[in-house]
């Protein structure tokens, strides 16, 4: 069983996007501010007029952790979780796949590394975004 993210009115557009291979960023239709995580009201102008744009799917590692403990359902640990600065200017958290985590000193990822989004289809209703080194 995989970990299922919270899907609600605020984040539905995001998960609709990953299903068709789009990384969507919420954008305020009133003032154009981008935000992540998505929310009902704009933090810049307090308007509730939400839209989105499709991100390029590329970004840079701002920081990361190697998650070794506690166990995560459906995951073989360790996994790398990174804060990714998208080229569009929002910061997003996500798992980075394909990175060796042999020991604490041998993690093949560094702050500033370029990442590209990929998609992991869990089932017909859920596709998770996953990052790989570009
Ligand atoms: Zn706004």
């Amino acid at each position: 069983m995989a970990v299922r993210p919270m899907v609600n009115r605020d984040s539905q557009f995001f998960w609709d996007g990953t299903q068709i291979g789009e990384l969507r960023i919420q954008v305020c239709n009133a003032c154009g501010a981008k935000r992540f995580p998505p929310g009902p009201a704009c933090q810049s102008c307090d308007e509730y007029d939400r839209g989105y744009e499709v991100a390029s799917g590329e970004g840079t590692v701002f920081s990361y952790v190697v998650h070794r403990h506690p166990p995560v359902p459906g995951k073989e640990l360790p996994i790398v979780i990174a804060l990714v600065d998208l080229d569009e200017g929002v910061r997003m958290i996500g798992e980075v796949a394909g990175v060796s985590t042999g020991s604490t000193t041998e993690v093949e990822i560094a702050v500033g590394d370029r990442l590209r989004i990929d998609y992991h289809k869990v089932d017909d209703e859920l596709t998770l975004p996953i990052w790989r080194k570009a």
Side-chain angles (χ1 to χ4, degrees):
M1 198 194 100
V3 185
R4 300 193 79 90
M6 288 277 291
V7 178
N8 58 33
R9 256 181 53 213
D10 293 332
S11 62
Q12 183 68 51
F13 80 98
F14 181 83
W15 300 109
D16 288 348
T18 60
Q19 283 212 351
I20 57 168
E22 286 183 358
L23 184 67
R24 295 177 176 176
I25 307 171
Q26 194 166 63
V27 178
C28 173
N29 286 332
C31 75
K34 299 168 190 168
R35 57 189 190 265
F36 190 91
C42 176
Q43 285 159 7
S44 299
C45 72
D46 293 331
E47 288 293 332
Y48 283 75
D49 192 1
R50 293 171 289 182
Y52 70 84
E53 69 173 47
V54 177
S56 66
E58 296 191 19
T60 303
V61 177
F62 172 77
S63 71
Y64 67 90
V65 295
V66 179
H67 183 93
R68 298 172 190 280
H69 196 80
V72 179
K75 290 282 182 194
E76 202 171 307
L77 299 182
I79 54 174
V80 175
I81 303 292
L83 277 175
V84 183
D85 279 337
L86 301 191
D87 291 351
E88 286 75 13
V90 294
R91 188 165 291 163
M92 196 175 274
I93 192 165
E95 182 182 344
V96 184
V99 172
S100 166
T101 50
S103 76
T104 5
T105 52
E106 278 178 36
V107 182
E108 289 178 333
I109 190 169
V111 169
D113 275 359
R114 293 288 292 165
L115 299 176
R116 187 171 294 135
I117 198 79
D118 194 6
Y119 299 94
H120 171 61
K121 185 177 168 147
V122 177
D123 56 36
D124 284 344
E125 274 149 33
L126 180 65
T127 299
L128 293 174
I130 196 156
W131 294 91
R132 298 183 189 280
K133 283 178 78 166

